[in-house]
Amino acid sequence: MENPLSIQRVPMMIYQKDLVKEDKNEVFASIDIMPTIANLFNLEIEYKNTFGKDIFSNQRRVVLFSNGSVLTDKFLYNLEKDEITLFDDAYTYEEANLMINECIYRIKINQLILEVDYYNKEDLEE
């Protein structure tokens, strides 16, 4: 089935003359760009403070939209319609619901991080 959010598909290209060409057709969010570039160019970053995932890793990728909808390569959950659309016949609604619940948990954690200003360096130094 065609992804109903295909309008959200934006190509991303990274060029560096020494990189070997590799095409990926993966689901990822803008938050995944920084760890991907850091990995490709061997940049040192603190991954514990990084929320995105390297696009070239084998980690499962999930896109959380601002309205609470969830997109993976296996399904789309449209929060506004409370509807799950499966893209893979081998994937189940139960598996999708588990992922959706994990995403809801992550959203709650992100809200708590903002509420307590977790990354405020002044508080960390005390």
Side-chain angles (χ1 to χ4, degrees):
M1 165 178 251
E2 176 73 20
N3 178 345
L5 290 178
S6 61
I7 193 168
Q8 301 287 336
R9 293 182 63 110
V10 177
M12 181 180 109
M13 294 174 266
I14 301 172
Y15 174 79
Q16 202 270 346
K17 67 179 182 171
D18 297 327
L19 287 179
V20 176
K21 179 184 176 190
E22 184 173 349
D23 293 331
K24 297 291 265 183
N25 187 15
E26 305 284 339
V27 170
F28 69 92
S30 58
I31 198 168
D32 300 323
I33 294 172
M34 194 261 301
T36 300
I37 290 174
N39 179 38
L40 286 173
F41 297 104
N42 295 319
L43 303 176
E44 291 185 29
I45 63 171
E46 291 186 41
Y47 283 97
K48 68 179 181 176
N49 296 333
T50 304
F51 291 103
K53 297 178 181 177
D54 177 3
I55 296 165
F56 295 100
S57 74
N58 291 329
Q59 296 176 310
R60 90 188 145 181
R61 282 175 270 295
V62 178
V63 177
L64 292 171
F65 292 95
S66 60
N67 72 352
S69 294
V70 177
L71 175 66
T72 74
D73 60 338
K74 307 285 186 191
F75 72 91
L76 165 69
Y77 171 61
N78 184 328
L79 178 72
E80 294 169 354
K81 294 181 180 179
D82 192 26
E83 178 180 273
I84 298 173
T85 304
L86 299 178
F87 305 134
D88 182 339
D89 293 336
Y91 205 73
T92 67
Y93 286 100
E94 290 78 20
E95 291 172 305
N97 278 313
L98 284 172
M99 176 64 71
I100 292 163
N101 287 331
E102 181 182 319
C103 290
I104 290 168
Y105 175 76
R106 281 205 246 154
I107 289 168
K108 288 179 181 178
I109 294 296
N110 288 342
Q111 288 171 338
L112 288 171
I113 287 170
L114 292 174
E115 287 175 16
V116 300
D117 198 10
Y118 179 79
Y119 291 106
N120 182 344
K121 290 189 183 226
E122 292 174 8
D123 289 342
L124 294 175
E125 293 171 1
E126 292 179 3

